[in-house]
Amino acid sequence: MSLGLLVPLWGRPGRDADGVLTVLAWAGCLVYAAYYSGLDAVAGISAGTVAGLGVHGVVGHLFVTGDELGRAGVYALTVATVATCAVLLRRDGIRVLPGAVVVLVACWSFLDSHIFWPRGVFTMLGFAAGFALLTVAASRGGHAPPVRPAGRRLTKS
């Protein structure tokens, strides 16, 4: 998931506002990866192990803890998304808005849908589509032809 935000920001950040936003996006992706992995470890591995051993009353607590870790991870992913989209918007213009909106809606849905059918599956598809839109919009940045008035040729200054 983090790569969907990191790929469009590829490169060394500058010492400007975009650089600060890029580092914020990196940090958000790191926190997301750590906390969401924590959700998987606590709610998946630990709860499954405890349930398999027949220990009663603990599984629910593990799921609650896992959900809290996952929620914190998704909030970090949302911060990373906003920071990434701000950089891309400043750099590449409004063509990044469709991807930004799709990823932000997916972040909102991800808070409680995780990957579970049906909403979670559509949330993951939304992330994939949004990341693709952001990457395509960002890859077109800087490759647009220069704008010139009709009937005039560009001349070197």
Side-chain angles (χ1 to χ4, degrees):
M1 296 281 292
S2 295
L3 287 177
L5 297 174
L6 297 177
V7 167
L9 294 178
W10 205 257
R12 187 176 187 161
R15 294 179 182 253
D16 56 3
D18 287 351
V20 171
L21 289 167
T22 298
V23 171
L24 180 62
W26 291 355
C29 287
L30 176 66
V31 171
Y32 161 74
Y35 276 74
Y36 216 80
S37 295
L39 158 68
D40 289 338
V42 171
I45 299 167
S46 299
T49 301
V50 169
L53 294 174
V55 178
H56 301 289
V58 178
V59 174
H61 295 290
L62 290 171
F63 279 124
V64 169
T65 301
D67 281 344
E68 290 172 3
L69 290 169
R71 192 173 305 107
V74 174
Y75 286 141
L77 183 66
T78 304
V79 168
T81 298
V82 170
T84 298
C85 292
V87 171
L88 297 178
L89 184 63
R90 291 168 48 94
R91 186 180 74 193
D92 301 311
I94 62 170
R95 69 176 159 259
V96 303
L97 287 180
V101 169
V102 172
V103 175
L104 285 170
V105 168
C107 284
W108 171 79
S109 180
F110 196 33
L111 273 170
D112 61 358
S113 68
H114 300 290
I115 61 169
F116 304 117
W117 176 261
R119 195 169 118 216
V121 172
F122 290 110
T123 299
M124 294 299 111
L125 292 172
F127 275 122
F131 292 151
L133 288 169
L134 285 177
T135 301
V136 167
S139 69
R140 290 186 180 164
H143 299 299
V147 178
R148 61 182 172 156
R152 298 177 89 194
R153 291 188 177 184
L154 290 177
T155 59
K156 292 185 179 182
S157 306

